[in-house]
C-alpha cells in the first residue's frame, strides 16, 4: 500500500467519528506495511480530554516495543496538534503523513525540528470534512483545539 491508501484508513476513521457526532479527524499507525492501530477523535463520544485521532490510534495499537514505533508512520487526516505531536515525539515515530493543514496548522515545525519527516498530501476530502464540521460545530471545534 502507498501513502494515499493508508491515509484512506484514517479518512474512514474520520467519517466514523463524524457519523458518531464527534470531530472528523482520523489516524492510523502503520509499520511494515500493516495497520497496527486506527482511531478517531472520540473526545465527544467518550467525554475524554485526550482522545484525538492520533492518541486513539496509539491506544488501539496497544503496547508495542520501542523498535516498532521507530519504524512506523502515523497517518492523520489533520496536521497534529501539540498534544499529538508530543505523543509522536515521545515514541520516536519517524514519519507523519497528514491529509491537510489548511483548516488547522499543528506543530509540524516542531516535528521537523526533531527530525521527523512530515508529508502533507493536501487531500481535498480531508479539507472538506473539516470545513463542513467547523462550519456546523464551531463550539466543539474550538473546545477541541483549546480555544474559547
Amino acid at each position: 500500500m502507498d501513502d494515499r491508501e493508508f491515509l484512506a484508513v484514517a479518512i474512514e476513521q474520520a467519517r466514523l467519528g463524524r457519523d458518531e457526532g464527534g470531530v472528523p479527524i482520523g489516524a492510523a499507525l502503520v509499520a511494515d506495511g500493516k495497520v497496527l492501530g486506527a482511531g478517531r477523535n472520540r473526545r465527544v463520544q467518550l467525554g475524554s480530554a485526550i482522545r484525538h485521532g492520533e492518541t486513539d490510534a496509539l491506544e488501539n495499537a496497544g503496547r508495542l516495543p520501542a523498535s516498532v514505533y521507530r519504524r512506523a508512520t502515523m497517518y492523520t487526516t489533520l496536521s497534529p496538534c501539540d498534544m499529538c505531536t508530543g505523543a509522536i515525539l515521545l515514541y520516536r515515530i519517524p514519519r507523519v503523513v497528514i491529509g491537510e493543514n489548511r483548516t488547522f496548522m499543528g506543530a509540524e515545525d516542531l516535528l521537523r525540528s526533531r527530525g521527523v519527516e512530515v508529508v502533507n498530501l493536501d487531500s481535498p476530502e480531508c479539507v472538506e470534512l473539516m470545513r463542513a464540521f467547523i462550519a456546523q460545530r464551531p463550539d466543539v471545534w474550538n473546545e477541541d483545539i483549546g480555544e474559547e
Side-chain angles (χ1 to χ4, degrees):
M1 293 177 76
D2 70 7
D3 284 342
R4 292 201 181 275
E5 291 173 289
F6 285 122
L7 181 63
V9 174
I11 291 170
E12 180 57 29
Q13 287 292 313
R15 284 192 205 113
L16 287 171
R18 175 200 61 201
D19 294 347
E20 295 168 346
V23 181
I25 301 170
L29 182 67
V30 175
D32 305 322
K34 296 179 191 171
V35 176
L36 304 176
R40 58 195 173 274
N41 185 308
R42 296 196 303 159
R43 292 184 72 247
V44 171
Q45 299 92 312
L46 298 177
S48 170
I50 61 168
R51 285 307 264 280
H52 282 193
E54 298 90 336
T55 56
D56 197 48
L58 287 165
E59 180 69 19
N60 290 332
R63 292 175 58 194
L64 299 169
S67 61
V68 174
Y69 295 115
R70 290 181 185 149
R71 65 178 184 269
T73 297
M74 178 65 78
Y75 291 83
T76 179
T77 58
L78 187 64
S79 184
C81 72
D82 290 345
M83 177 176 66
C84 295
T85 292
I88 290 163
L89 293 173
L90 175 69
Y91 290 107
R92 298 184 188 167
I93 297 168
R95 187 167 184 263
V96 177
V97 175
I98 64 173
E100 65 103 355
N101 64 5
R102 287 191 252 165
T103 60
F104 176 80
M105 174 59 82
E108 293 176 36
D109 287 342
L110 176 58
L111 288 167
R112 286 185 188 98
S113 77
R114 297 282 296 273
V116 176
E117 178 187 2
V118 178
V119 177
N120 181 359
L121 297 181
D122 198 26
S123 161
E125 186 173 6
C126 292
V127 172
E128 183 50 36
L129 276 168
M130 285 310 301
R131 282 192 177 150
F133 180 79
I134 292 167
Q136 293 166 358
R137 300 294 312 271
D139 57 325
V140 175
W141 172 241
N142 285 332
E143 174 191 325
D144 197 68
I145 60 172
E147 299 289 328
E148 291 295 326

